[in-house]
Amino acid sequence: GQQVMQIPQYQHVQEGEDFTTYCNSSTTLSNIQWYKQRPGGHPVFLIQLVKSGEVKKQKRLTFQFGEAKKNSSLHITATQTTDVGTYFCAGPGYSSASKIIFGSGTRLSIRP
Amino acid sequence: GAVVSQHPSRVICKSGTSVKIECRSLDFQATTMFWYRQFPKQSLMLMATSNEGSKATYEQGVEKDKFLINHASLTLSTLTVTSAHPEDSSFYICSARSGLYEQYFGPGTRLTVT
């Protein structure tokens, strides 16, 4: 079945260091979304990428959609303690584009 | 912005009882609502997709007779966990979508079955 995997599963960094999470889909995606879930909270939409090779930035966050539209990455420059949480990528279901399949997530923790 | 509420936020029930969780889109009409469950330190697993006025579409492995979904209006969907057992204890999250892609998530309901 369709799988959306993320690596790494966990990342522990010193505050100020950079962080990157990678998302890989077993199928080509028409779009990819990124969400952030704080501990104890619910997922919050960050961004959506649609075009092949697209790069979008939100302050210290840089999102990239692969040329083949099967992978994506999220890079955070100079992490801050407020960046703590789990980052999920998500894409439309292969069998039905109306549903969203979430990646396995990358949990980011930060040493102050 | 788009706001989705869930009620209750936490519920503790005894094994064998049923629990109803409400999901409401507060400031927009949701063409589609989704129900997810999330176990500790795991990803969100889609349980079912719900469209207003029609039967929900359940994901493989999700018992539709156990997890009853009613999408009564464009702003309300309910999930009823029938005859709950301890293994049903989880974090249940709904989301609502008005357009083509973006989903807005509710704050979640933490269910504990004793």
Side-chain angles (χ1 to χ4, degrees), chain A residues 5 21 27 30 36 40 48 55 57 70 77-78 95 99 102 112:
Chain A
M5 302 300 296
T21 172
T27 59
S30 59
K36 177 184 178 181
Q48 176 181 277
V55 178
K57 292 190 175 184
K70 293 183 71 173
T77 304
S95 59
K99 63 183 182 183
F102 275 77

Side-chain angles (χ1 to χ4, degrees), chain A residues 9-10 30-31 33 35 37 40-45 48 50 88 92 97-105 107, chain B residues 32 34 36 38 40-46 49 51 59 91 93 97 100-108 110:
Chain A
Q9 189 175 4
Y10 304 98
S30 59
N31 69 86
Q33 300 174 15
Y35 293 81
Q37 184 176 25
H42 62 281
V44 174
F45 175 82
Q48 176 181 277
V50 179
F88 294 99
S98 65
K99 63 183 182 183
I100 300 294
I101 304 299
F102 275 77
S104 46
R107 185 178 309 155
Chain B
T32 306
F34 303 88
Y36 297 83
Q38 185 178 34
K41 299 183 180 181
Q42 293 189 21
S43 186
L44 284 77
M45 300 301 297
L46 180 64
T49 302
N51 292 294
E59 293 300 300
F91 192 47
I93 309 175
R97 189 176 68 197
L100 191 58
Y101 297 126
E102 187 171 336
Q103 292 184 67
Y104 301 95
F105 284 83
R110 192 162 301 282

Side-chain angles (χ1 to χ4, degrees), chain B:
Chain B
V3 178
V4 176
S5 70
Q6 261 184 262
H7 178 80
S9 57
R10 291 179 181 271
V11 57
I12 300 173
C13 70
K14 292 186 177 181
S15 186
T17 61
S18 295
V19 174
K20 180 185 282 188
I21 303 170
E22 290 187 352
C23 176
R24 294 181 185 272
S25 57
L26 298 184
D27 51 1
F28 67 101
Q29 291 186 328
T31 54
T32 306
M33 287 185 170
F34 303 88
W35 287 96
Y36 297 83
R37 65 189 297 181
Q38 185 178 34
F39 291 107
K41 299 183 180 181
Q42 293 189 21
S43 186
L44 284 77
M45 300 301 297
L46 180 64
M47 299 176 66
T49 302
S50 170
N51 292 294
E52 184 264 340
S54 62
K55 291 184 178 180
T57 302
Y58 291 81
E59 293 300 300
Q60 191 172 9
V62 178
E63 300 176 57
K64 61 181 181 181
D65 294 331
K66 180 168 184 62
F67 299 100
L68 301 179
I69 292 173
N70 182 26
H71 197 150
S73 73
L74 285 172
T75 60
L76 172 64
S77 177
T78 61
L79 167 68
T80 301
V81 183
T82 62
S83 188
H85 290 95
E87 57 266 29
D88 298 323
S89 298
S90 187
F91 192 47
Y92 292 86
I93 309 175
C94 72
S95 70
R97 189 176 68 197
S98 61
L100 191 58
Y101 297 126
E102 187 171 336
Q103 292 184 67
Y104 301 95
F105 284 83
T109 297
R110 192 162 301 282
L111 170 64
T112 303
V113 184
T114 61

Side-chain angles (χ1 to χ4, degrees), chain A residues 39-61:
Chain A
H42 62 281
V44 174
F45 175 82
L46 294 177
I47 207 162
Q48 176 181 277
L49 305 172
V50 179
K51 298 177 182 177
S52 169
E54 187 171 13
V55 178
K56 286 189 177 180
K57 292 190 175 184
Q58 288 180 350
K59 297 183 179 178
R60 294 179 294 105
L61 278 61

